[in-house]
């Protein structure tokens, strides 16, 4: 089988995790990693650093298929910026799905999204573009995840939920059935969301409560 050449944009811990997912698919050949300007390293996990964000246009002409491997701990701005750059330079963003994940038959996944090891995306769910569905995360039937959002490790989005754009659902957080979450919201680790989140912000605790700006 001929492997598809792939350019990874962003080094670091999340990149390391995605490399393992990509290698496990046996569908792609990683040709290099693009780092931020000023980062001084020549390789990462055995793959060459082929340039910086300043070289992205020329690199995409050589290798159009890209994966954004910058993580998202809170804000999504950097991932959105890189996503827009890749598309603006004519690049492509394939969907990457770990062979260890379970993605049901009737699921919609937007381009640039990565489904990590042991994640679950169940029937009739929709995950928009440039999302991260991290290891052991669960997105149940009929739920919709907005663009540029991150469903963190072991987070559970129960059935028929709606998560807006640029959200972070933290590790081990739980959204109860049918919950809606406003765009640009952070749900903290282990939080329990038992009612709709209508205002963006940071929500912590059991049940989840909005933090004041000073505490955020």
């Amino acid at each position: 089988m001929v492997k598809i050449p792939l350019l990874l944009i962003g080094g670091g811990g999340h990149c390391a995790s995605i490399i393992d997912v990509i290698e496990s698919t046996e569908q792609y050949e990683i040709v290099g990693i693009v780092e931020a300007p000023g980062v001084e390293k020549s390789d990462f996990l055995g793959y060459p650093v082929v340039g910086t964000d300043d070289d992205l246009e020329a690199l995409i002409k050589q290798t159009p298929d890209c994966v954004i491997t910058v993580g998202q701990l809170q804000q999504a701005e950097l991932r959105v910026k890189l996503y827009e750059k890749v598309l603006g330079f004519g690049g492509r963003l394939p969907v990457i799905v770990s062979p260890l994940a379970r993605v049901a038959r009737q699921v919609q996944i937007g381009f640039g999204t990565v489904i990590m090891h042991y994640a679950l995306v169940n029937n009739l769910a929709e995950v928009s573009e440039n999302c991260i569905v991290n290891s052991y995360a669960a997105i149940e039937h009929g739920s919709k995840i907005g663009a540029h959002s991150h469903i963190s490790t072991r987070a559970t989005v129960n059935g028929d939920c709606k998560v807006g754009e640029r959200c972070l659902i933290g590790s081990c957080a739980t959204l109860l059935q049918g919950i809606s979450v406003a765009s640009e919201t952070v749900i903290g680790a282990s939080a329990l969301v038992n009612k709709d989140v209508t205002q963006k912000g940071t929500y912590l605790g059991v049940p989840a409560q909005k933090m004041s700006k000073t505490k955020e």
Side-chain angles (χ1 to χ4, degrees), residues 8-20 33-36 39 41 43-45 47 49 68-73 116:
L8 307 188
I9 303 174
H14 186 61
C15 179
S17 295
I18 290 185
I19 285 173
D20 189 62
I33 297 168
V34 181
E35 271 287 9
V39 174
K41 57 184 176 184
D43 67 274
F44 185 66
L45 290 179
Y47 295 104
V49 173
I68 296 170
T69 49
V70 172
Q72 180 181 337
L73 295 178
M116 308 286 282

Side-chain angles (χ1 to χ4, degrees), residues 7-67:
L7 192 65
L8 307 188
I9 303 174
H14 186 61
C15 179
S17 295
I18 290 185
I19 285 173
D20 189 62
V21 172
I22 291 169
E23 289 176 340
S24 71
T25 69
E26 298 184 349
Q27 296 176 336
Y28 301 96
E29 177 190 359
I30 299 171
V31 299
I33 297 168
V34 181
E35 271 287 9
V39 174
E40 295 183 1
K41 57 184 176 184
S42 59
D43 67 274
F44 185 66
L45 290 179
Y47 295 104
V49 173
V50 293
T52 72
D53 295 350
D54 296 334
D55 308 309
L56 200 52
E57 184 173 9
L59 291 168
I60 285 174
K61 287 181 180 178
Q62 298 173 1
T63 309
D65 289 289
C66 305
V67 178

Side-chain angles (χ1 to χ4, degrees), residues 106-120:
Q106 293 191 22
V107 165
Q108 295 182 35
I109 302 177
F111 48 84
T113 286
V114 179
I115 312 292
M116 308 286 282
H117 294 322
Y118 302 106
L120 167 70

Side-chain angles (χ1 to χ4, degrees), residues 68 79-87 111 129 148:
I68 296 170
R79 285 181 56 83
V80 173
K81 180 180 178 181
L82 292 171
Y83 164 88
E84 292 174 346
K85 273 190 172 184
V86 169
L87 295 184
F111 48 84
E129 60 269 19
H148 317 296

